[in-house]
Amino acid sequence: MRRHPCWPEADWPEAADPEAARRFHEDLTTLWQEEFPDSTLLTEEGVPALLRCVGGNSPYLSDLILRAPHDFARLLAEGPDDFTDMALAGIAGLPVTCDRETVAAALRQAKGRVALASALADTGKFWPLESVTQTLSRLADTALDIAVRHLLRAAHDAGRLSLRDPARPAAGSGYVILAMGKLGARELNFSSDIDLMALFDAGLHTDPDSARQVFIRMTSDLVRLMEARDANGYVFRTDLRLRPDPSATPLAVSMPAAISYYESLGQTWERAAMTKARPVAGNITLGRDFLRAIHPFVWRRNLDFALIDDIHDMKAKIDLHRKPGRTGLATLPDSCLTDAGASIKWLLGHNIKLGEGGIREIEFVAQAMQLVWGGRTPNLRDRTTLGALRTLTRSGHMPREEAETLARAYRLLREIEHRVQMRADQQTHRLPETEATFGALAVFLGYASGGDLALDLLPQMRAARRIFERHFTTPVHEGAGEELDFDLTADDLPARLGAAGFPEADCDAAAGIMSHWAGNTRRALRSGRAHALLRGLLPALLSSFIAGRDPLGCVRHFDTLLSRQRAGVQLLSLLERNPILITRIVAIFDASPFLADHLADTPSALEGLLEPQHGEDTALTTATGQIRLLSAEKPDLEILVTRLRPVVRAEEFRLSVARLEGRLGEDDAAHARTAVADTVMTALLDAVFRAHRLRHGRVEGGGISVMALGKAGSREMMTGSDLDLMLIFDHPEDISHSSPLRDMERQAFRELSVSQYYLRLANSFIAALTAPDAEGPLYEVDMRLRPSGAAGPVAVSRAAFRQYHAGSSWTWERMALTRARIVATAGEPGTKQNLKTTLRNDLDEALTGTAAAQPANEIRAAAAAMRSRLARDLPPSGPWDIKRRAGGLMEVEFIAQALQLVAGSAAARSPCTPRAFRLLSRAGVLSREDARILIDADETWRSLQSLLRLLWGPSLPSDPMRDLPPATLELLCRNMAVSGPPELTARVESLALTVRDIFTRLIGPVTGPGETEG
């Protein structure tokens, strides 16, 4: 037997206790000669250094080797990877019918083997931290799996439980073990206990009361099996205190009771604990169902910065146990970090898990950020600490330097934790109490002295502590020292407001509003915490209000925002943690009454202002990326819609504010808004189709597509744009009905004719898009552009679409099709791409084929007649009705659509209006100068219409230049790059005359009320 080639490669630490190393070597040599008289393994390259390291640093590892020399010989020969796999395979293959003693002995033996291999792989630097912790976690997973299967089968064989399949005891058993804490994250340390939660569903058994007692007793047996000690040690210390209300519940908790608890009584620390939960043994499907059920409790759909205070309070309780008289780590002077003696003195006896700058603080930072943002961004839900730090960095939620600092400190602390525990298999996290033992630990870690370790460790811990405090210390806002003097109930409140800079004429009105914030008249301010937060924020709020153009209006808008909150703690915590939001919100209050009302009605929209926009991973940082990730989880349709709403609303608000602030042009905002709508429709169609197939089977070779028209089709959506949609399905001619899926139970299948199949699917899709909640629907949908209009079916067959546009469609309907675009398709495997291709061909045929051939003069006449009819039936509300006014946006779009039909070529066609003008100019249908003017007109009209909607809403005053507030009008003129209202008015009138002239010249005259023939 030869030693594995890995061992000579290790740079083993020296022996902290040379005498102990010598004794261990003598004892092992004697034993070796008895067991392996012809073996030379102990003298081969690398092994003597290994033995000195083990014997001189870890009595526990020395004992493991002496207790099982044959295992050690095999480990030397096979290396830690193969040896560990062998150890785990040995227990995984145990028959579930083994007696209890056999199972217990096998688990303890495997624990010793894996512990020894992991320790040597860690000490010798063969495995990174992740491999060490994952291997220890694999041991726990495997041990729990075989133990639970054994216990279930034993209960069945004893007649206490009736299993569905005794050969597979866990399947359908109604009993599951969830791994929590470090085991849940697969981050077990060397001498860790395992945090578990036992759940059961007794309703799956004919005698629920009896099953309940069996499961509770089985949990007790499981704990004993893991913890009982004999000559071979024990398997794992076990902790069940993370279950719901552990002081009042049995060791195993019924699943309905646990769900009810978390829905009604769950606390922040339990949310944090559940981020790491995963089913590891027993009925795994049941465990996954449970985690899905409590998903809304763990991963809140709205941002929740209040939890940061809760986590800070949790950590503050831990800090109460720190060593008295020790200087706080964050304020430790630099001089201490360069003085080895002072550094050692500070570190002696320090708890590297719970103490300042320790493992728990780093975990808290990662978990808090995950809980804040993970409800909206699924990829942030990494159970591991290092994984969470990486995703938070990639998504832009945490600076890279900060995450790297925490990760470095975490790795070093975990390595030290392992060495401390490896010495005697003790569950301790304290550094040695004396300089001598601290120096011995340093040697075991590969440092030359205790001073070297201290000078490496302490600066990293201080950096981690400072990051922790930046995240969890309550921010101090400018002027916060004045809060104690600002009494909202004081009689002289108006005078105080005036002294602070409030306009004298508005002080009484503002004081009257603000006095309501002191009592319980506002539902959002009925808790002490909400009042405390508001008091802390008042100086910053008032400063921002006073700096605005209309301070009283800002107070009123903020009061409205508060009044419509069910609980103010969330909003006020959001502002406390992100003070820049106060300035941005007040700017919106001051400039846009419409957005101010929108924010009050849709508070989740505010979160869009916080989304990081500079992350490295676009799948995490963009709204479309978040939607795709939410869809990839394949939740139920209702859950998906619920999760999409805050993402869509926050993105809409972000785009609106970015547009007003001049950080985003109209085209970029429109493209981003349309991309969100496209991604939502794709996600919802996929979810609807998936659920529909489960109820009604499949239509072999069939599929359905969503076609967008109007602003959605041209990727020019603005605030308030609805979705003009057309749904088209296709299927082989010989298929008339749906058929069941493979393995579908017959009673669960409801056969439908093909037309009914797709009509129901289409209705479900539209219902998902338009289903309202308290803040309204995801999108308004208009389907009047489909064949036969509002009277026709919601979805039409491809054959009907082709037939209609081959002989029945009007010119204006073909004009609308120039902006058609396929945005989502669902169908049976292999059909989706084919359906997209054939529909694109059908569009070309409808627009340029033989049936669509029409003399150019007829197209122009029909377009002019349609414009005249609209001018008569839907006249503009005034000169600022940008869409319908003479020479407005509608006429620009009519020119593009009609001329694309005149061109009769796909090469001269694009759903995007400016691009269509460029292609028409290239094709010779439109002069270069006309194209330039119309492109400029399209951009100007869309920008002006979009800005007016953002600033005032869909219903404009009759004269915006007169009726808009000064701050709003100033912002409008600035965004339109004009000096003031007179210049804007002149520009609008001049552009309208130019567009009307081009329309009359290229299309024809417009007649109607107030119109004159060209």
Side-chain angles (χ1 to χ4, degrees):
M1 182 182 292
R2 304 289 297 175
R3 55 103 180 95
H4 191 274
C6 73
W7 306 114
E9 298 175 359
D11 183 15
W12 297 101
E14 293 299 321
D17 185 346
E19 178 58 27
R22 185 190 62 76
R23 290 196 303 270
F24 167 67
H25 190 273
E26 289 179 354
D27 291 343
L28 180 59
T29 301
T30 300
L31 185 61
W32 204 264
Q33 290 172 348
E34 294 175 359
E35 298 291 334
F36 313 104
D38 299 325
S39 173
T40 60
L41 266 175
L42 295 187
T43 60
E44 292 187 10
E45 185 182 0
V47 177
L50 181 162
L51 298 179
R52 282 194 302 274
C53 171
V54 170
N57 292 295
S58 174
Y60 171 64
L61 296 181
S62 300
D63 183 63
L64 282 179
I65 293 173
L66 293 172
R67 188 193 310 163
H70 286 270
D71 285 342
F72 182 55
R74 189 165 181 178
L75 174 58
L76 289 178
E78 297 181 355
D81 295 279
D82 290 346
F83 182 77
T84 299
D85 290 342
M86 176 274 299
L88 294 177
I91 56 172
L94 279 174
V96 294
T97 53
C98 282
D99 59 77
R100 186 72 47 86
E101 291 72 20
T102 301
V103 172
L107 295 182
R108 293 181 190 117
Q109 188 178 51
K111 164 67 181 294
R113 288 170 172 168
V114 174
L116 178 61
S118 300
L120 295 185
D122 187 10
T123 307
K125 309 292 187 186
F126 304 134
W127 291 351
L129 172 65
E130 292 88 339
S131 295
V132 176
T133 56
Q134 286 172 16
T135 298
L136 294 169
S137 301
R138 280 175 60 203
L139 169 66
D141 287 358
T142 309
L144 289 167
D145 175 62
I146 184 59
V148 168
R149 288 191 288 120
H150 162 75
L151 292 169
L152 284 167
R153 179 58 183 267
H156 173 82
D157 292 344
R160 298 193 303 270
L161 199 66
S162 179
L163 296 176
R164 181 189 304 173
D165 182 0
R168 297 167 56 238
S173 65
Y175 180 77
V176 63
I177 295 295
L178 298 184
M180 311 287 288
K182 283 191 166 58
L183 177 56
R186 296 186 175 88
E187 294 178 328
L188 277 188
N189 44 276
F190 190 78
S191 189
S192 179
D193 58 5
I194 52 176
D195 294 297
L196 305 178
M197 185 184 298
L199 298 172
F200 63 85
D201 184 355
L204 296 177
H205 295 269
T206 55
D207 187 350
D209 289 338
S210 175
R212 176 181 180 275
Q213 294 302 320
V214 169
F215 290 139
I216 293 172
R217 178 179 173 183
M218 187 184 302
T219 306
S220 179
D221 290 341
L222 176 64
V223 172
R224 280 196 295 271
L225 191 54
M226 292 292 109
E227 292 190 337
R229 295 174 178 266
D230 64 8
N232 291 315
Y234 65 102
V235 189
F236 285 102
R237 287 176 291 268
T238 305
D239 191 339
L240 295 169
R241 289 175 295 176
L242 290 181
R243 69 186 186 276
D245 198 5
S247 63
T249 54
L251 295 181
V253 182
S254 79
M255 188 163 140
I259 293 172
S260 176
Y261 171 85
Y262 288 122
E263 288 177 343
S264 57
L265 300 173
Q267 301 176 58
T268 295
W269 73 265
E270 290 170 308
R271 287 181 61 200
M274 295 309 298
T275 62
K276 296 182 181 296
R278 64 185 175 91
V280 293
N283 193 342
I284 301 298
T285 301
L286 183 72
R288 290 172 179 158
D289 290 343
F290 170 75
L291 294 179
R292 275 193 292 270
I294 65 167
H295 185 284
F297 160 71
V298 181
W299 303 110
R300 304 284 171 83
R301 62 174 180 163
N302 294 326
L303 299 186
D304 180 12
F305 282 89
L307 70 87
I308 291 180
D309 290 326
D310 293 338
I311 292 180
H312 182 270
D313 290 342
M314 291 159 52
K315 184 59 177 64
K317 293 176 183 177
I318 296 172
D319 282 346
L320 292 176
H321 302 288
R322 75 184 184 189
K323 193 171 180 179
R326 189 195 301 268
T327 304
L329 182 55
T331 58
L332 203 63
D334 290 345
S335 58
C336 182
L337 304 185
T338 57
D339 183 330
S343 296
I344 292 175
K345 184 178 179 181
W346 196 97
L347 288 168
L348 291 179
H350 187 68
N351 190 313
I352 58 172
K353 176 182 179 181
L354 303 180
E356 292 182 278
I359 294 167
R360 182 56 53 84
E361 289 189 345
I362 298 172
E363 292 173 339
F364 273 178
V365 171
Q367 280 186 309
M369 294 300 99
Q370 283 182 299
L371 286 172
V372 168
W373 298 101
R376 298 160 59 84
T377 310
N379 264 22
L380 293 179
R381 302 172 200 164
D382 193 309
R383 292 186 178 94
T384 68
T385 302
L386 293 172
L389 292 174
R390 283 192 294 269
T391 58
L392 288 166
T393 300
R394 291 206 313 270
S395 64
H397 291 98
M398 182 179 288
R400 170 173 289 281
E401 181 178 328
E402 185 174 286
E404 289 178 346
T405 297
L406 292 175
R408 281 194 300 271
Y410 180 80
R411 287 182 180 279
L412 178 57
L413 288 165
R414 291 302 305 271
E415 185 179 3
I416 294 171
E417 176 188 48
H418 285 174
R419 295 297 189 280
V420 168
Q421 296 177 348
M422 207 179 283
R423 175 169 172 76
D425 191 27
Q426 293 177 338
Q427 191 185 12
T428 179
H429 300 90
R430 289 199 174 277
L431 294 173
E433 298 280 354
T434 67
E435 290 193 27
T437 51
F438 188 86
L441 172 64
V443 170
F444 195 12
L445 284 158
Y447 290 89
S449 68
D452 288 345
L453 170 60
L455 293 176
D456 187 14
L457 174 61
L458 196 57
Q460 296 196 51
M461 290 175 60
R462 188 184 72 166
R465 174 67 183 192
R466 287 179 170 178
I467 291 171
F468 174 84
E469 291 195 348
R470 282 202 295 273
H471 280 274
F472 295 106
T473 300
T474 301
V476 178
H477 301 286
E478 186 176 349
E482 305 166 19
E483 67 176 75
L484 296 177
D485 298 324
F486 206 89
D487 184 359
L488 294 177
T489 62
D491 292 337
D492 63 345
L493 181 57
R496 294 190 183 194
L497 288 174
F502 226 83
E504 184 176 350
D506 295 336
C507 286
D508 287 336
I513 295 170
M514 294 171 64
S515 65
H516 292 293
W517 300 351
N520 292 323
T521 58
R522 297 289 181 265
R523 180 173 56 177
L525 298 173
R526 290 179 182 171
S527 72
R529 176 63 180 147
H531 280 292
L533 286 167
L534 181 61
R535 284 195 302 272
L537 289 168
L538 269 177
L541 286 168
L542 288 176
S543 176
S544 295
F545 293 161
I546 292 168
R549 298 286 293 267
D550 182 11
L552 179 58
C554 291
V555 171
R556 285 173 172 154
H557 285 307
F558 189 75
D559 182 61
T560 302
L561 179 60
L562 277 178
S563 299
R564 297 180 186 177
Q565 298 287 312
R566 288 190 294 274
V569 171
Q570 298 298 330
L571 171 66
L572 297 172
S573 294
L574 193 70
L575 298 179
E576 181 195 49
R577 293 290 164 185
N578 303 274
I580 188 63
L581 276 183
I582 295 175
T583 304
R584 300 187 74 183
I585 290 171
V586 171
I588 293 165
F589 288 166
D590 208 30
S592 175
F594 170 69
L595 283 183
D597 288 340
H598 174 70
L599 181 58
D601 289 333
T602 317
S604 64
L606 182 60
E607 298 168 9
L609 301 184
L610 288 177
E611 289 290 354
Q613 299 302 315
H614 305 291
E616 302 165 14
D617 191 334
T618 56
L620 299 179
T621 57
T622 64
T624 53
Q626 292 176 34
I627 293 166
R628 290 189 186 100
L629 292 170
L630 289 169
S631 177
E633 291 186 323
K634 297 187 177 179
D636 292 339
L637 179 61
E638 185 177 350
I639 294 174
L640 178 61
V641 172
T642 299
R643 294 178 188 172
L644 289 178
R645 283 181 177 131
V647 179
V648 172
R649 288 163 183 162
E651 179 67 0
E652 170 59 38
F653 195 68
R654 183 189 73 82
L655 294 172
S656 298
V657 173
R659 181 71 184 92
L660 289 182
E661 293 176 343
R663 294 183 291 106
L664 207 59
E666 182 57 36
D667 284 342
D668 290 336
H671 290 165
R673 191 174 281 112
T674 307
V676 170
D678 286 357
T679 313
V680 166
M681 287 188 279
T682 300
L684 289 182
L685 184 64
D686 180 65
V688 167
F689 182 69
R690 192 167 57 247
H692 197 67
R693 288 179 92 241
L694 293 177
R695 286 193 298 271
H696 302 295
R698 61 193 291 261
V699 172
E700 187 177 351
I704 187 169
S705 282
V706 178
M707 190 178 290
L709 303 100
K711 287 281 193 293
S714 60
R715 293 188 174 90
E716 295 168 342
M717 290 180 69
M718 60 182 67
T719 295
S721 291
D722 56 15
L723 299 176
D724 292 297
L725 301 181
M726 187 185 300
L727 276 73
I728 302 173
F729 63 88
D730 194 23
H731 61 94
E733 293 182 3
D734 59 340
I735 302 297
S736 60
H737 288 79
S738 62
S739 56
L741 302 175
R742 183 180 301 173
D743 299 329
M744 177 180 276
E745 295 182 15
R746 198 66 200 176
Q747 62 268 26
F749 170 63
R750 304 174 194 172
E751 183 184 90
L752 293 175
S753 67
V754 170
S755 61
Q756 282 297 309
Y757 183 93
Y758 286 113
L759 282 174
R760 290 194 185 185
L761 193 157
N763 280 317
S764 296
F765 171 72
I766 299 301
L769 273 175
T770 59
D773 66 354
E775 299 178 0
L778 272 171
Y779 292 99
E780 300 286 354
V781 173
D782 187 344
M783 303 195 70
R784 290 174 294 178
L785 292 178
R786 67 187 187 271
S788 302
V794 175
V796 298
S797 69
R798 178 177 164 242
F801 174 83
R802 288 169 56 87
Q803 182 178 1
Y804 180 80
H805 284 287
S808 305
S809 62
W810 297 82
T811 300
W812 68 265
E813 290 178 300
R814 293 200 301 279
M815 287 170 60
L817 283 184
T818 63
R819 302 172 85 177
R821 184 171 58 85
I822 299 168
V823 297
T825 302
E828 298 304 316
T831 65
K832 291 170 63 174
Q833 187 56 49
N834 182 59
L835 180 57
K836 290 179 186 177
T837 302
T838 54
L839 279 177
R840 290 192 185 104
N841 293 336
D842 293 341
L843 271 176
D844 287 341
E845 180 65 24
L847 292 170
T848 60
T850 304
Q854 187 180 12
N857 61 329
E858 291 185 15
I859 294 174
R860 290 187 170 95
M866 186 63 185
R867 178 67 186 99
S868 298
R869 178 183 171 186
L870 290 171
R872 181 180 66 251
D873 296 345
L874 294 171
S877 59
W880 295 93
D881 188 341
I882 303 302
K883 178 179 180 181
R884 292 183 292 184
R885 67 155 295 160
L889 182 59
M890 181 183 292
E891 292 185 15
V892 173
E893 293 172 345
F894 267 42
I895 294 170
Q897 294 165 18
L899 292 186
Q900 286 180 82
L901 295 184
V902 168
S905 168
R909 192 172 70 244
S910 171
C912 175
T913 303
R915 176 164 172 73
F917 284 135
R918 294 187 188 95
L919 295 176
L920 288 166
S921 174
R922 194 176 301 164
V925 180
L926 186 66
S927 72
R928 182 175 298 177
E929 179 62 15
D930 283 344
R932 184 190 63 76
I933 294 171
L934 290 169
I935 290 170
D936 177 67
D938 174 78
E939 181 181 359
T940 300
W941 287 144
R942 285 191 297 109
S943 292
L944 185 55
Q945 183 184 33
S946 173
L947 288 167
L948 287 171
R949 284 189 183 183
L950 289 174
L951 292 169
W952 193 258
S955 301
L956 285 176
S958 57
D959 185 356
M961 299 300 100
R962 181 193 66 204
D963 299 334
L964 288 178
T968 303
L969 198 55
E970 179 184 325
L971 186 59
L972 174 65
C973 291
R974 186 167 70 244
N975 272 279
M976 292 302 297
V978 295
S979 60
E983 183 181 347
L984 181 59
T985 301
R987 182 179 175 188
V988 164
E989 292 303 321
S990 173
L991 183 60
L993 289 173
T994 301
V995 171
R996 172 51 65 89
D997 176 67
I998 294 176
F999 187 93
T1000 302
R1001 175 162 46 86
L1002 297 180
I1003 305 301
V1006 179
T1007 59
E1011 301 283 355
T1012 57
E1013 294 194 18

